[in-house]
Amino acid sequence: MNRNTKINLVLLLAVAALAVLPLALGLGDHKEEPFTGADAQAETAITELDPGYEPWFSPLYEPPSAEIESALFALQAALGAGVLAYYFGLRRGRRQGEERATARQEAADRATAGVPGESPADGA
């Protein structure tokens, strides 16, 4: 197993642990909604500190249920991941294409010069 594979496996295990451990250890069992988002927690903290606080803005769209809100958030995350994966794949493909084109050009240059390969005088 090479070094990159080991690093990928360790990262995968770390992500799995971050997802499973809070559920397995029962973190948040004492709360009414154990795993609420940061927005809901901030709203709760603000109303505890200043009960008369009025927000400056209201949401443009309020989903009818928490499940739909979670689904929209997951869709947004998936779209973002897809865009990033496309970008990095495109960059890698371009780099590989440039490397292949360079290798072909070098082979064509050697063929036209009548040199079948590198000679020991080239420092190889």
Side-chain angles (χ1 to χ4, degrees):
M1 198 180 318
N2 66 19
R3 185 172 185 262
N4 286 338
T5 304
K6 289 178 185 178
I7 291 172
N8 287 341
L9 285 174
V10 167
L11 290 173
L12 183 65
L13 288 174
V15 168
L18 285 172
V20 172
L21 282 177
L23 299 172
L25 297 176
L27 300 177
D29 284 345
H30 62 283
K31 296 181 180 178
E32 185 178 323
E33 294 183 35
F35 299 107
T36 58
D39 292 344
Q41 291 177 357
E43 183 180 347
T44 303
I46 289 171
T47 54
E48 286 176 3
L49 293 173
D50 185 9
Y53 176 77
E54 290 292 324
W56 293 1
F57 301 100
S58 62
L60 297 175
Y61 171 70
E62 188 72 35
S65 69
E67 291 82 12
I68 293 175
E69 186 175 359
S70 294
L72 290 173
F73 182 75
L75 178 64
Q76 177 185 359
L79 286 172
V83 167
L84 283 175
Y86 174 78
Y87 172 75
F88 287 119
L90 184 67
R91 287 198 38 154
R92 181 176 181 175
R94 284 184 180 170
R95 186 179 62 237
Q96 287 176 345
E98 289 172 358
E99 290 170 358
R100 288 181 188 144
T102 302
R104 284 189 201 124
Q105 185 63 41
E106 289 174 356
D109 290 345
R110 282 193 303 266
T112 57
V115 181
E118 291 184 8
S119 66
D122 290 338

